[in-house]
Structures are given as C-alpha cells and as structure tokens.
Amino acid sequence: MNLEFTPEEIAFREEVREFISESYPAELGDFGMREDMSPEDMVAWHKILGEKGWSVPAWPVEYGGTGWTPTQRYIWSEENARINAFMPLPFGVSMVGPVIYTFGNEEQKAKHLPGIRSGDVWWCQGYSEPGAGSDLASLKTTAVRDGDHYVINGQKTWTTLAQYADWGFFLCRTDPDAAKPQEGISFILLDMKTPGVEVRPIKLIDGGYEVNETWLTDVRVPVENLVGEENKGWTYAKFLLAHERSGIAGVARSKRGVEKLREIAANETIDGEPLISDFEFARKVSQLEIDLAALEITELRTLAGEQAGKGPGPESSILKIKGTEIQQRLTELTLEAVGSYGTPFYGDIGAAPGGAGSNQYPIGPDYAHHAAATYFNMRKTSIYGGSNEIQRNIITKMILGL
C-alpha cells in the first residue's frame, strides 16, 4: 500500500480545499462550538453539495456518485474535518441510500434516491428498542400484512433527530414464528407523517435533545415500502451497519481534535508551565496520537480493499471500536485540559439566561465552553451502531474464527 499521494491526488486536494473555502456557509462556523444549530443549518452544506454533485461521493456513479476513488474520498473527508464542517447526516447518505440502491426496486430508487442526494428529504433510523439494542435480533415491533398494507405496532428508541425526519427506515418482525430470531425481520420504509407515528423527546445528560422514543400504533404502511424480500431484513440491516460502522471511526475529525487539544494544552498552564509540558499529560496525548495513527493506517487499508472491489466487512468492527474509544479519550483529555472552565451547564433548559442556579454565561476561553457537554455526549459512541462489546464478538467470530 502506497501512503504517498500522487500528483493527481494532490491537485484534487487543492480543488477540494478551494471549493470548501469558497462554498462552505460562513454562518455555520465551527459546528463543534455550536449548540443552537437549526434544522436548516444541519442541511445547509448538504444542499450545497447536492447542487455541486458531491453529496454522495461513495455511491455508484449511476445513482449520482462522484466516481471518486477511495483515496479521493479520504482526502474529501480530511479537508472537511480540517474546518470541522457539519457534514450531511448519515441516515440517508450512508445508511438507507446504499440499502435502497443495492436491494430496492427501480420504483424505490426513483422515488427516494434523488431526495437523499439533494438533502431535501430527512431520514431517521428505527432499529433499537427498549429491550433490543445490542441484541437487535430480539426486536418486538411487528408488521402484520393486511391486504396491500402492513400494520405496524411497537416502540423504537434512540431515534436520532426523528423530530425533523420526513421518512424513516424501520426493522419490523413480519414472521413471529421464525426458527431463529434473526429470521422473520423485514426492512420497511415509513413516511413519518403517517397517522399513528408519535415521536417523544429524550433529554440527554448534556442538556441536548437529539434522540427520541418513536411509538408506532396501528401504522398502515403500503407493502410497496418493503425493501427487498419479506423476512430478509436482517441481511439488509447487517449491510447497512457495516457501512455505518466504517463511518463512525471518524479518523479525520479525531486528527483535527488532537490538533485542537494540543493548542489548548499549550495555552493552559499547570504550576506556571504549559500543560503540554507536563510529562503525564503529554504521555497521554502522545499515546492517543499513536493509536490514532494506527487506526488511520487500518482505515487506509480498508479503503484500499474497497478500491480493489471489496465492500466493508468485519474490519468495520475494528474501525468502530478503536475509533469510538479514541473519540472518548480525546474528549476526556480535552475536559481535563480546560480544568474548572469545563464546568457543565446547570439550569432549566429554556429558562431565562443567568437565572437561579444557572451558569449559562460561561467564563474562560471559548474552547472551554462546550468541553463538558461534548464529553458527556460522546459517551454514546461506544454504544450506538452496535455496542463495542458486540463488535468484539463479531471480530472473534468472523476474523479469528473462534
């Protein structure tokens, strides 16, 4: 594997950098420092990329992809991470889109892929349930055939940004008598405005609201919204998760995070000396950088495999485990670096700023204001997309053959 960029790839990087510099919405700023992003903010870059034809670079050209090589896609990811850009949400682009163009029929492709590419249609994911998270195969939400419709009943949880979603993709049990729990599950597309769909907010420890409970009560969905074959949804779900886990690794963004951490540690002091000069802190940062470099090589090897025609396989579990562990260590070290400036916000969400018990008006440097909220929020990364414990089981079985 050649780790040096070719002259053509260097020229591509310059083209990408110039386009981002000229086109990325200035009002979005550094999304990592924003808590007030509106739904319009979240899709602004996506829509610009849709007009450019760059919103789905990993898709096949016949479905609107760019035709970029995996190395070009890697460069694209790095250049966006360099400015901490708010990227297109993954639910359509990286999750359901590939499922639809791989397993869907021509009518489904024509109906749904254009809206995903353009950013005009917002998707959410209905996988996890209160009793079926890591053990997703035990899901209980049912879809019962009634003429030319399915009638869906059940509850999903952790449905990210479902409060804004136009459509969702849901795993439902269509054969309760299947011999194995993985069998008898179907992959169904659902218009979120359908009667019987109720989205209830779940407030997170960082004070934010990005996930929901989704209740489905006698929801009638046309049979034509079934993707692929009935009772084969587990196959499509695994395909989707392999793509999702590869993206969760977040190597390029973690590299930018380490650069920011070093800047913070050079500015903060301990006993009158820069924090980065402290041996123990510097050791932890250096170990993080070493692990991140190893993860980057692993991701590049995976990309090289894709360029040779191999889709993401069990190695996506390695990327997911190490990528999320690095993200959590990075936010932990950042919180450690800002010290008391990282005190989290306390107070009633929506109450008057500066009210009783509130520390909404922060003190200290700007980089410290969101350190605690980010740290708390990133606790989720080792759980979503299939918990890291489950990923270790996959590696044990699929790679080690145990």
Side-chain angles (χ1 to χ4, degrees):
M1 180 178 63
N2 185 357
L3 298 181
E4 298 295 328
F5 290 142
T6 66
E8 293 77 15
E9 289 164 347
I10 292 172
F12 174 76
R13 181 178 63 189
E14 294 305 315
E15 178 190 359
V16 164
R17 187 170 294 183
E18 180 180 0
F19 172 73
I20 292 174
S21 175
E22 294 176 350
S23 305
Y24 188 74
E27 63 272 16
L28 294 186
D30 182 335
F31 95 87
M33 300 294 286
R34 295 277 305 279
E35 292 181 337
D36 60 341
M37 293 193 77
S38 67
E40 292 74 23
D41 288 337
M42 294 183 195
V43 298
W45 186 222
H46 188 162
K47 291 192 173 186
I48 291 171
L49 295 177
E51 293 176 359
K52 176 72 171 176
W54 286 8
S55 60
V56 289
W59 287 19
V61 172
E62 59 266 35
Y63 300 121
T66 57
W68 292 345
T69 66
T71 302
Q72 288 176 310
R73 298 203 304 269
Y74 182 79
I75 291 171
W76 169 247
S77 177
E78 279 207 319
E79 290 302 314
N80 278 277
R82 189 173 59 84
I83 67 162
N84 213 13
F86 191 92
M87 298 302 292
L89 295 167
F91 310 107
V93 170
S94 304
M95 297 184 188
V96 74
V99 170
I100 291 173
Y101 69 63
T102 303
F103 302 104
N105 57 42
E106 294 305 314
E107 290 76 14
Q108 290 168 340
K109 295 174 189 178
K111 180 176 181 177
H112 296 295
L113 296 184
I116 295 173
R117 288 196 306 266
S118 67
D120 291 330
V121 179
W122 193 309
W123 286 80
C124 66
Q125 178 184 29
Y127 272 28
S128 294
E129 299 182 3
S134 297
D135 182 20
L136 185 58
S138 65
L139 65 88
K140 293 182 171 56
T141 295
T142 59
V144 178
R145 183 74 179 262
D146 180 24
D148 57 359
H149 283 76
Y150 288 107
V151 179
I152 301 178
N153 283 280
Q155 178 191 0
K156 299 292 182 177
T157 193
W158 313 123
T159 323
T160 303
L161 299 176
Q163 68 267 37
Y164 304 130
D166 303 298
W167 281 78
F169 50 97
F170 286 75
L171 291 182
C172 304
R173 190 164 298 284
T174 43
D175 182 2
D177 300 319
K180 296 181 179 180
Q182 292 87 348
E183 299 172 354
I185 294 173
S186 294
F187 193 104
I188 299 175
L189 309 180
L190 171 62
D191 185 337
M192 294 296 287
K193 297 182 292 295
T194 305
V197 177
E198 181 183 2
V199 175
R200 302 179 187 174
I202 299 174
K203 291 297 179 67
L204 301 181
I205 194 172
D206 67 355
Y209 165 30
E210 64 182 80
V211 292
N212 304 269
E213 296 176 314
T214 302
W215 293 80
L216 307 160
T217 305
D218 293 332
V219 179
R220 296 184 65 83
V221 179
V223 170
E224 65 198 43
N225 288 8
L226 172 73
V227 174
E229 298 180 47
E230 189 174 85
N231 300 325
K232 299 295 184 182
W234 190 250
T235 298
Y236 315 142
K238 290 192 298 181
F239 173 87
L240 182 150
L241 287 170
H243 282 265
E244 178 186 5
R245 289 163 187 160
S246 297
I248 289 173
V251 172
R253 207 165 291 277
S254 289
K255 288 173 65 178
R256 175 67 184 92
V258 170
E259 292 175 5
K260 188 69 175 178
L261 172 61
R262 282 196 167 274
E263 294 171 8
I264 293 171
N267 190 65
E268 295 296 317
T269 60
I270 181 171
D271 296 331
E273 297 292 331
L275 177 60
I276 197 61
S277 300
D278 178 77
F279 176 82
E280 181 58 22
F281 188 85
R283 182 195 65 78
K284 289 187 284 189
V285 174
S286 296
Q287 186 61 59
L288 181 66
E289 289 179 305
I290 292 169
D291 292 346
L292 182 55
L295 180 65
E296 183 176 22
I297 294 296
T298 303
E299 182 176 59
L300 288 170
R301 289 168 55 197
T302 302
L303 288 171
E306 286 189 40
Q307 194 157 352
K310 294 171 55 181
E315 68 273 11
S316 63
S317 293
I318 298 175
L319 293 173
K320 199 273 180 178
I321 292 170
K322 294 303 297 183
T324 56
E325 288 179 347
I326 286 171
Q327 291 163 26
Q328 291 180 341
R329 286 161 57 195
L330 176 58
T331 58
E332 183 176 352
L333 284 173
T334 301
L335 186 59
E336 180 180 341
V338 302
S340 58
Y341 290 139
T343 302
F345 164 69
Y346 293 107
D348 294 331
I349 302 297
S358 168
N359 65 347
Q360 186 169 345
Y361 295 128
I363 59 173
D366 289 346
Y367 56 67
H369 296 171
H370 305 288
T374 302
Y375 166 80
F376 288 130
N377 190 277
M378 294 299 282
R379 298 302 93 194
K380 68 190 178 187
T381 61
S382 54
I383 300 173
Y384 68 41
S387 72
N388 286 6
E389 289 76 12
I390 294 297
Q391 303 317 303
R392 291 184 174 91
N393 288 345
I394 293 173
I395 292 168
T396 299
K397 179 180 179 181
M398 302 299 294
I399 298 179
L400 301 180
L402 301 178

